[in-house]
Amino acid sequence: MPDLKVKLGPLELRNPVLSASGTYGHGLEMCHFTPPERLGGLVSKTVTPRPRPGNAAPRICETEAGLINSIGLENRGLDAYVADTLPTMAGADTVVFTNIGGESPEEFADVAARLDAEEAVDALEINLSCPNVDGGRLPFATSPESAARVVALVRAATEKPIFAKLSPNVAGLGDIARAVEEAGADGVTAVNTLLALSVDWRTGQPGVATVQGGYSGPAIKPVALRCAWECARSVSIPVIGCGGVATADDVLEYLVAGCTAVQLGTACFADPALPGRVVADLDRKLAEAGVATAAELIGTIADGRPAAGGSRDAHLQEAAR
Ligand code: SIN
């Protein structure tokens, strides 16, 4: 059996497969589909200091190859998360990430400080990049300075490992990744959804009530993979890949591009049992390809020149068929 363990900064994951924030409940809602102990970790929906009702409906719109959402960070707020959700997570035999949000850098830090005392939380993912609030202006994700300011305050507020979730809707993503690394992040998640729009030309009605929303699903995989690669080559902290992942092959592509772990998101809406199957497929595919450990694939992307016959890549591609 191949060894799927990966080391994500200070965290040990039993495999590189994580749920993506907002697609897999807050905690253990999906445990009947995939037992948490099968996964590398669970990532919560964003938790904000106060309850948020979210955006007006419609908030979800399917397109040809993906999903546009405009949820608007609906959640019951930090008090309810601590009182109701975290006690149920205490026994979860997996790494628990709480994804946190706020309307100012100080609010992010307040949430982090409160969760610092919570044993059920293993790590924080800082949602710098929700495109569905503030009219899609992404105030924390679009410059190295603004991203670093949030991360620095969160760093000062907690000793838990922190991962900054970045946006694809920027130029110079590598600079932003470097800035959050310097501000004390233990890793980055690359990436959140792409700003997108869908409209019915007959009625003029947009797919979501906020007109624009965040695009996810298979269509974004090549874009998100490139973003993850750009982050991985820009920083020395680990990168968690996210965007369009639906199969074990997708996970392995993200590892080769430089990621240490990979989140499954939109595909879980159609098939909540998918993460468990992806883990099983990872085992099988690596065994078939003669790869002993998932970790050895991380960052092994070639330089783009055609490989000479018999290269590792050619061998793996053949074995994976
Ligand atoms: C949302 O709640 O609108 C989606 C969360 C996100 O994209 O960060």
Side-chain angles (χ1 to χ4, degrees):
M1 267 315 205
D3 180 357
L4 297 186
K5 282 197 295 299
V6 289
K7 195 157 163 27
L8 186 71
L11 302 169
E12 300 267 358
L13 307 186
R14 63 166 59 86
N15 63 58
V17 178
L18 309 174
S19 61
S21 177
T23 65
Y24 212 63
H26 235 346
L28 299 182
E29 292 91 334
M30 302 296 181
C31 67
H32 302 298
F33 296 101
T34 297
E37 61 272 16
R38 290 285 292 143
L39 298 176
L42 288 170
V43 184
S44 78
K45 171 77 180 152
T46 303
V47 179
T48 56
R50 294 168 297 284
R52 290 179 59 96
N55 294 336
R59 310 198 299 189
I60 292 275
C61 161
E62 273 193 80
T63 71
E64 294 81 355
L67 189 76
I68 298 179
N69 91 79
S70 179
I71 307 301
L73 300 181
E74 178 186 349
N75 75 103
R76 294 173 61 224
L78 182 60
D79 286 342
Y81 178 73
V82 170
D84 302 336
T85 305
L86 281 184
T88 70
M89 301 295 289
D93 180 12
T94 195
V95 175
V96 174
F97 295 76
T98 302
N99 180 300
I100 64 170
E103 291 178 14
S104 66
E106 291 73 18
E107 282 196 2
F108 279 88
D110 290 346
V111 178
R114 174 90 178 275
L115 292 176
D116 191 52
E118 297 294 333
E119 269 183 33
V121 178
D122 296 305
L124 302 179
E125 183 175 67
I126 308 168
N127 189 359
L128 299 173
S129 47
C130 175
N132 301 325
V133 291
D134 257 316
R137 281 192 298 277
L138 296 154
F140 309 117
T142 49
S143 80
E145 296 74 23
S146 57
R149 166 117 180 102
V150 176
V151 171
L153 290 192
V154 170
R155 178 71 296 158
T158 181
E159 291 184 0
K160 295 200 190 278
I162 57 175
F163 294 81
K165 187 165 182 180
L166 304 182
S167 174
N169 305 301
V170 298
L173 182 58
D175 295 337
I176 296 171
R178 259 192 304 278
V180 300
E181 176 179 33
E182 281 163 19
D186 295 284
V188 302
T189 303
V191 280
N192 209 315
T193 52
L194 275 72
L195 275 166
L197 183 146
S198 149
V199 64
D200 180 336
W201 69 265
R202 290 178 180 81
T203 62
Q205 284 300 314
V208 293
T210 48
V211 185
Q212 64 178 9
Y215 194 31
S216 61
I220 78 160
K221 195 185 82 180
V223 178
L225 191 61
R226 191 212 69 80
C227 289
W229 167 78
E230 181 175 351
C231 288
R233 66 209 293 263
S234 304
V235 296
S236 53
I237 50 177
V239 175
I240 304 172
C242 181
V245 179
T247 66
D249 285 316
D250 296 335
V251 172
L252 294 168
E253 287 174 24
Y254 271 93
L255 295 189
V256 167
C259 297
T260 301
V262 182
Q263 297 181 348
L264 263 74
T266 301
C268 299
F269 289 135
D271 181 1
L274 184 68
R277 279 208 316 282
V278 166
V279 172
D281 285 350
L282 276 180
D283 251 335
R284 185 174 55 77
K285 283 184 181 271
L286 291 182
E288 282 170 7
V291 178
T293 67
E296 73 194 66
L297 290 180
I298 296 170
T300 54
I301 189 166
D303 63 7
R305 286 188 300 248
S311 73
R312 182 194 67 87
D313 289 347
H315 167 70
L316 281 179
Q317 280 166 19
E318 190 50 42
R321 272 183 236 286

